Amino acid sequence: MKSIQFGIVGMGIRGKLFADTLLQNPYAQLTAVSDAFPSTLAQCVEKYGVPGYADVKEMLDKEQLDALVIATPDFLHREPVLLAAERGLHFMVEKPFSTRVEEAEEMHEAVVRSGVKCMVAFENRWNSPFVAVKEAVRSGELGSLLTMNARLNDTIYVPTQMLKWSKGSSPGWFLLPHAADIALWLKPEAAPVSVYAVGTKKKLAGMGIDTYDSIQSVVSFDDGTNAAFTTSWVLPESMPLIYDFKYEIIGDQGALYVDLADQMVRHAGGTYRHVHTLGTPINGQFTSAPSYMLNAFVDHVRMDTAPEAGSAVGLLNTRLIDAIHRSAASGQVERI
């Protein structure tokens, strides 16, 4: 079988991880890369030995691609998504699908019209602790789900150093799509209908980054249940991991508690830290959730199957996170 020819748009941390993953996949070939930063682009061209383009449209004009990985910042997904759909290229796009509902609707409609395969990168669907949770819920171990509570925070390193573009995002857009998607994945029969949220802008705003330090929200579903999602971008850098992700799922017959901040190995030395064990390469093979996710997308393309987390899932997620931001701004309950 001919290898699936992939291009990648956005060669930051995620783009490089996806490129390295494609190099290990026997059914895929990295054909070209695109990035807006000349130094990043030059490094990737040298590392991967493929053509590099500053403009994604030029890459699509000149290269014979079958599929695209879109790993641009949160608010820059629209153009490559629409170009991929227009040219009949299957694509995987980073979450959130979009940071604007109108854009997400336009993107979803383009996917439906074109018939291409679209996967939105909700990587925790391939994260082994949440895979175990999904199976427990599916098998009825918890009974009927009554409530879910999630806390997903990053250290202040993320908005101040790791991301060049944090001013154009928020912990709500960067982190909450993960937490919200897990809830929607675990109970697909219930639709979110409204949200009440509050947010704090102090520390980061004082540093010249006009975005939220933290957001707390309560989401109501049409089956009479609720879920609470909280997020923050200002944890101290002394935290044992760069992120703190905890999830509580309570049903009428049991409960599950997930703590991704404790990955079973703890290191005490000059500093105290948790060793990142989920996704540690084994025999040189990548085992992280993002790599499993991309490999699953490759399989969808080669086997002509539909991704579960498609554009409709991405659109609903964007509507939910948008409602959280609207509620935090208005101080009122907002419809989704």
Side-chain angles (χ1 to χ4, degrees), residues 158-178:
V158 172
T160 59
Q161 299 179 62
M162 189 181 90
L163 300 180
K164 300 182 180 74
W165 41 268
S166 58
K167 288 182 180 180
S169 186
S170 74
W173 285 115
F174 190 68
L175 295 174
L176 281 187
H178 288 302

Side-chain angles (χ1 to χ4, degrees), residues 1 4 27 66 88 90 114-118 295-308:
M1 177 181 175
I4 301 165
Y27 303 104
D66 302 307
H90 307 300
S114 67
V116 299
K117 300 181 193 306
C118 163
N295 287 330
F297 179 66
V298 173
D299 287 344
H300 283 303
V301 174
R302 73 182 183 89
M303 299 172 71
D304 194 23
T305 53
E308 184 182 40

Side-chain angles (χ1 to χ4, degrees), residues 43-60:
Q43 292 167 5
C44 291
V45 167
E46 180 177 359
K47 177 179 179 180
Y48 298 109
V50 298
Y53 298 89
D55 179 62
V56 60
K57 187 176 183 300
E58 183 183 3
M59 180 175 75
L60 300 187

